[in-house]
């Protein structure tokens, strides 16, 4: 492997991945660990996140995994999760703010509680984790790090019947840009990924889409992505190869299509 190729790796990094019991977060955690990073992963359920860590820890060539029950909407949970990570791995170099989700509803039908839940999960959860993990990145023996936020194409375009989610995901893009400037002097890069439709348990449940026969990854012209499509871009952004990439949002959605990929799939536009 040339020196240049090595820069695309994450070996020796200490990474936090939120929402890693399934879907994109799980694949991100497994990808980073396979690349030699130690990963601290969380979900709201210890029972659901433990098997992911056990799978990683069974691979002798992978980094170590630590599983912690943590609701990213709860500040105390987040503080305890980051503290446990620092105690286990000695610091934090990478934060992937993946935990997120939504429900489909017309704007008029969204209750104040429903609005708050989705904005809390996607946006305020990102705020909590970034603020707390950011402090750990600055306090470490090797100050600096990288944050990768998870937005959505629905944060970039109109997303009928997902107004709460699209508003929160749009805000994450602007937060990414703002923080990249604020934290540049700390040596912390902040970037974002905006996936199009990706096959995950969450999508199967929320949108009723279950693609059993997924087109292969070498085919760009497809309506739905694999979790690996997103994880590989996250790894790039977390790696030294992205040293001059800051404040950017990478859209990952295969072949461009008119309008909004998810809403189009739902027949909403
Ligand atoms: N799949 C797509 O098409 C798509 C497209 C664009 C953007 N995204 C974004 O990508 C991210 C992952 O999506 P996905 O489809 O992989 O989701 P998913 O299958 O629903 O998985 C969500 C993960 O987040 C965890 N989680 C949910 N609420 C949490 C909370 N309050 N605190 C901690 N963990 C929590 C869940 O674990 P527990 O249930 O065990 O807590 C689970 O591990 C989300 O931010 C989503 O908005 C997805």
């Amino acid at each position: 492997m040339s020196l240049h190729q090595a820069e695309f790796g994450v070996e020796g990094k200490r990474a936090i991945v939120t929402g890693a019991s399934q879907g994109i977060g799980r694949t991100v955690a497994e990808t980073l660990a396979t690349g030699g990073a130690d990963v601290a992963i969380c979900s709201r359920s210890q029972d659901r996140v433990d098997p992911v860590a056990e799978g990683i820890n069974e691979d002798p060539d992978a980094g170590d995994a630590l599983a912690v029950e943590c609701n990213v909407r709860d500040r105390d949970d987040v503080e305890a999760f980051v503290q446990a990570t620092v105690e286990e791995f000695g610091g934090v170099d990478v934060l992937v703010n993946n935990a997120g989700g939504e429900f489909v509803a017309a704007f008029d039908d969204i209750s104040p509680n429903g609005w708050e839940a989705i904005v809390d999960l996607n946006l305020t959860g990102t705020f909590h984790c970034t603020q707390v993990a950011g402090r750990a990145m600055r306090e470490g023996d090797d100050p600096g790090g990288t944050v990768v936020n998870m937005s959505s194409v629905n944060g970039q375009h109109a997303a009928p019947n997902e107004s709460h989610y699209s508003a929160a995901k749009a805000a994450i893009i602007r937060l990414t840009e703002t923080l990249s400037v604020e934290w540049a002097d700390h040596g912390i890069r902040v970037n974002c990924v905006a996936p199009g439709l990706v096959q995950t348990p969450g999508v199967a449940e929320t949108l009723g889409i279950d693609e059993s026969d997924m087109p292969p990854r070498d085919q760009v012209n497809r309506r739905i992505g694999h979790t690996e499509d997103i994880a590989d871009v996250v790894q790039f952004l977390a790696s030294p190869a992205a040293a001059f990439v800051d404040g950017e949002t990478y859209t990952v959605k295969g072949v461009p299509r008119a309008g909004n990929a998810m809403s189009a799939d739902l027949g909403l536009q």
Side-chain angles (χ1 to χ4, degrees):
M1 188 189 292
S2 72
L3 183 61
H4 182 65
Q5 282 172 325
E7 289 177 356
F8 284 83
V10 290
E11 189 160 12
K13 303 277 183 208
R14 299 153 305 182
I16 288 177
V17 183
T18 65
S21 65
Q22 64 180 35
I24 293 170
R26 176 179 183 153
T27 304
V28 167
E30 291 169 345
T31 300
L32 296 179
T34 302
D38 293 329
V39 291
I41 59 178
C42 81
S43 89
R44 292 163 297 177
S45 158
Q46 192 75 48
D47 287 346
R48 280 171 47 73
V49 77
D50 271 344
V52 180
E54 283 161 17
I56 290 170
N57 286 328
E58 276 169 14
D59 180 351
D61 298 325
D64 294 334
L66 169 73
V68 176
E69 183 173 299
C70 165
N71 183 340
V72 298
R73 297 172 62 185
D74 184 310
R75 182 66 173 224
D76 290 342
D77 270 16
V78 171
E79 299 268 6
F81 178 35
V82 172
Q83 190 180 333
T85 304
V86 171
E87 283 169 9
E88 183 76 11
F89 297 139
V92 180
D93 304 303
V94 176
L95 167 67
V96 183
N97 280 309
N98 169 80
E102 62 163 321
F103 60 88
V104 176
F107 178 74
D108 283 336
D109 296 333
I110 299 174
S111 70
N113 276 349
W115 178 273
E116 196 177 318
I118 296 306
V119 173
D120 246 26
L121 167 58
N122 291 280
L123 179 59
T124 312
T126 296
F127 161 74
H128 289 317
C129 295
T130 306
Q131 201 173 61
V132 177
R135 279 185 199 132
M137 287 178 185
R138 293 198 295 273
E139 285 165 4
D141 45 6
D142 182 19
T146 140
V147 177
V148 182
N149 292 325
M150 200 61 70
S151 181
S152 165
V153 291
N154 286 359
Q156 299 175 310
H157 306 288
N161 297 318
E162 300 177 38
S163 57
H164 43 7
Y165 179 74
S166 83
K169 291 300 194 185
I172 287 173
I173 293 173
R174 205 61 69 233
L175 173 66
T176 299
E177 292 167 4
T178 301
L179 207 49
S180 72
V181 177
E182 279 196 36
W183 282 6
D185 287 345
H186 298 306
I188 300 176
R189 294 184 296 106
V190 187
N191 288 293
C192 185
V193 177
L197 190 63
V198 177
Q199 180 55 41
T200 66
V203 157
E205 187 184 323
T206 311
L207 305 182
I209 296 170
D210 188 6
E211 292 272 333
S212 45
D213 187 18
M214 294 278 291
R217 287 189 66 195
D218 61 6
Q219 186 179 318
V220 71
N221 185 4
R222 52 194 155 101
R223 69 197 276 271
I224 193 159
H226 298 250
T227 54
E228 289 83 357
D229 291 313
I230 309 305
D232 286 348
V233 177
V234 171
Q235 166 156 332
F236 162 67
L237 290 171
S239 75
F244 204 46
V245 180
D246 204 4
E248 298 298 331
T249 293
Y250 274 53
T251 306
V252 186
K253 65 176 174 57
V255 72
R257 54 192 297 173
N260 177 286
M262 285 191 195
S263 298
D265 275 314
L266 286 168
L268 298 172
Q269 64 180 39

